[in-house]
């Protein structure tokens, strides 16, 4: 496949390059696009130096576009790219459009069948959440879900990571910490504000988790509320999750279901201090799930904790997994 990465110099774009290489995706030609600022830069793929091109306003000469340059670029250009290529879009521009599949391969690979050349990659928090929620939902039927997130700087892209690192250095040097990407200084802080506030008091990031969970799982009756919080970690989003199920469930049964779930690693041995952590989940393809225990609030309820690499399962890995499904023959 001839592949183009739009936003190749960004935090997700660079991970896409690594994931394509690691999973030996059959790339026959790779083209890298970013803003005019990065044109001429060199990035490496399979030991080969590739030059970053400025994004043209025309269709791209590739079979597959992996787009990760933000919502406004996708909104403007994805319909143009889609004339000639299949587009896997990491932004939120098309996620809620009825004709656009929103896919986590472990959950709803079947939704791909209806694509019309634009496929949406979900919000990172949602992709990581449904990895654990969906297998449990299949087994015990989730009815109500409460999520609190601990989201890393990488969710705001390369500039978010840079702002956290710079700010931390300045903080430790006793200097004033500046902020531009985040609503407040992030070092040694937590910020309960990701994306814009909506009329109902939730942020758009929090609403995305509800909208996208319902669309991916294909069950609009699941109720969900989220509090999305930015924390000063570099990559990996963690989530504390409470779920009320229709059917009775024990922590041991839940662990059993999750041990069999693809892409999930159960890390749940508190006596040995083993539970999901941003540090252990960094760079890992699997989403870690642990601290699984019976809810003290809901009958048939569980509490658990998740840590998943936001740049991988939350973005680049999921996009490449979708691309891998496109290589498979369509079942008739
Ligand atoms: P550049 O590095 O040249 O700014 P991140 O999410 O890490 O902030 O990355 C965003 C990606 O989107 C980067 O690769 C960035 O390129 C790219 N990008 C931003 N604006 C444009 C644009 N107008 N045209 C093409 N690519 C863009």
């Amino acid at each position: 496949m001839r592949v183009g990465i739009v936003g190749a110099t960004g935090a997700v774009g660079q991970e896409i390059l690594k994931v394509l290489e690691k999973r030996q995706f059959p790339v026959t030609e790779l083209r890298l696009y970013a803003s005019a600022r990065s044109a001429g830069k060199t990035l490496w793929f399979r030991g080969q130096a590739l030059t970053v091109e400025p994004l043209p306003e025309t269709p791209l000469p590739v079979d597959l576009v992996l787009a990760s340059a933000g919502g406004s670029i996708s909104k403007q250009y994805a319909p143009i790219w889609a004339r000639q290529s299949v587009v896997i879009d990491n932004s939120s521009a098309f996620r809620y459009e009825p004709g656009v599949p929103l896919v986590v391969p472990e959950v709803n690979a079947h939704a791909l069948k209806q694509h019309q050349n634009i496929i949406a990659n979900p919000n990172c928090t949602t992709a990581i959440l449904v990895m654990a929620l969906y297998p449990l939902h299949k087994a015990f039927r989730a009815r109500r879900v409460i999520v609190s997130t601990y989201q890393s700087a990488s969710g705001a892209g390369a500039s978010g990571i840079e702002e956290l690192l710079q700010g931390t250095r300045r903080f430790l040097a006793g200097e004033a910490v500046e902020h531009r990407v985040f609503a407040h200084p992030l070092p040694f802080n937590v910020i309960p504000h990701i994306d814009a506030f909506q009329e109902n008091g939730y942020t758009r990031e929090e609403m995305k988790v509800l909208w996208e969970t319902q669309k991916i799982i294909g069950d609009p009756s699941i109720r969900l509320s989220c509090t999305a919080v930015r924390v000063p970690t570099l990559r990996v989003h963690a989530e504390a999750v409470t779920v009320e199920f229709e059917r009775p469930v024990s922590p041991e049964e839940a662990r059993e279901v999750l041990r069999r779930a693809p892409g999930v690693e159960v890390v749940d041995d508190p006596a040995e201090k083993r539970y999901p952590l941003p540090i252990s989940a960094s760079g890992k393809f699997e989403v870690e799930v642990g601290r699984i225990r019976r809810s003290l609030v809901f009958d048939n309820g569980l509490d658990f904790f998740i840590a998943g690499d936001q740049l991988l399962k939350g973005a680049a890995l999921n996009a490449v997994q979708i691309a891998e499904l496109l290589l498979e023959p369509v079942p008739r």
Side-chain angles (χ1 to χ4, degrees), residues 20-326:
L20 287 172
E21 192 165 326
K22 220 177 208 168
R23 294 177 72 96
Q24 301 184 337
F25 190 83
V27 179
T28 53
E29 189 189 338
L30 186 62
R31 302 186 78 118
L32 306 177
Y33 301 96
S35 78
R37 292 180 295 274
S38 304
K41 246 191 187 171
T42 300
L43 294 175
W44 291 82
F45 181 67
R46 294 188 196 143
Q48 236 189 319
L50 298 177
T51 306
V52 176
E53 302 173 55
L55 185 66
E57 301 203 339
T58 54
L60 304 177
V62 294
D63 307 303
L64 174 70
V65 176
L66 295 164
S68 206
S72 51
I73 296 285
S74 289
K75 213 175 208 105
Q76 188 177 350
Y77 293 108
I80 299 173
W81 305 328
R83 288 186 212 146
Q84 290 187 10
S85 320
V86 176
V87 181
I88 300 176
D89 181 32
N90 205 47
S91 82
S92 59
F94 299 95
R95 286 182 192 149
Y96 314 118
E97 290 197 8
V100 174
L102 177 67
V103 176
V104 171
E106 290 85 348
V107 179
N108 64 337
H110 57 86
L112 273 181
K113 272 185 268 173
Q114 307 142 8
H115 84 77
Q116 292 153 19
N117 278 7
I118 299 183
I119 300 158
N121 208 33
N123 162 274
C124 43
T125 302
T126 312
I128 289 162
L129 172 68
V130 297
M131 290 298 287
L133 182 60
Y134 178 67
L136 294 171
H137 172 66
K138 256 198 324 190
F140 310 109
R141 292 201 64 78
R143 298 311 340 145
R144 291 193 275 192
V145 184
I146 300 165
V147 189
S148 302
T149 73
Y150 305 73
Q151 297 183 219
S152 60
S154 60
S159 51
I161 295 173
E162 194 45 41
E163 186 167 302
L164 174 60
L165 289 172
Q166 282 280 2
T168 305
R169 282 188 209 106
R170 291 180 68 93
F171 186 99
L172 292 174
E175 295 165 10
V177 176
E178 290 156 4
H179 64 96
R180 187 177 52 81
V181 177
F182 301 113
H184 297 272
L186 186 56
F188 306 96
N189 202 5
V190 297
I191 307 172
H193 177 185
I194 302 178
D195 211 332
F197 282 103
Q198 310 290 287
E199 262 179 20
N200 64 1
Y202 286 84
T203 62
R204 194 165 166 81
E205 178 81 359
E206 291 161 348
M207 295 310 295
K208 282 176 190 171
V209 181
L210 167 64
W211 298 328
E212 296 183 25
T213 298
Q214 290 181 337
K215 180 165 175 175
I216 296 164
I217 291 185
D219 185 345
S221 70
I222 293 181
R223 299 180 66 181
L224 183 150
S225 83
C226 177
T227 303
V229 182
R230 188 76 70 191
V231 301
T233 50
L234 281 180
R235 57 192 283 169
V236 172
H237 288 354
E239 305 176 26
V241 187
T242 302
V243 187
E244 180 193 41
F245 296 94
E246 204 168 282
R247 304 187 189 130
V249 51
S250 70
E252 198 35 59
E253 288 169 315
R255 267 181 222 110
E256 220 19 70
V257 165
L258 290 169
R259 275 190 203 109
R260 289 196 304 267
V264 171
E265 183 182 343
V266 175
V267 182
D268 200 9
D269 191 357
E272 294 298 320
K273 300 187 194 160
R274 293 194 70 245
Y275 26 71
L277 289 174
I279 282 191
S280 53
S282 278
K284 208 183 249 186
F285 282 178
E286 289 77 21
V287 169
E288 295 184 351
V289 187
R291 297 289 323 276
I292 301 165
R293 60 209 191 275
R294 215 179 269 282
S295 164
L296 300 179
V297 176
F298 295 112
D299 297 334
N300 304 339
L302 289 177
D303 283 327
F304 53 90
F305 196 71
I306 311 178
D309 195 314
Q310 175 273 324
L311 294 174
L312 293 174
K313 189 60 203 175
L317 171 64
N318 199 70
V320 173
Q321 284 178 302
I322 293 172
E324 288 169 352
L325 291 174
L326 297 174

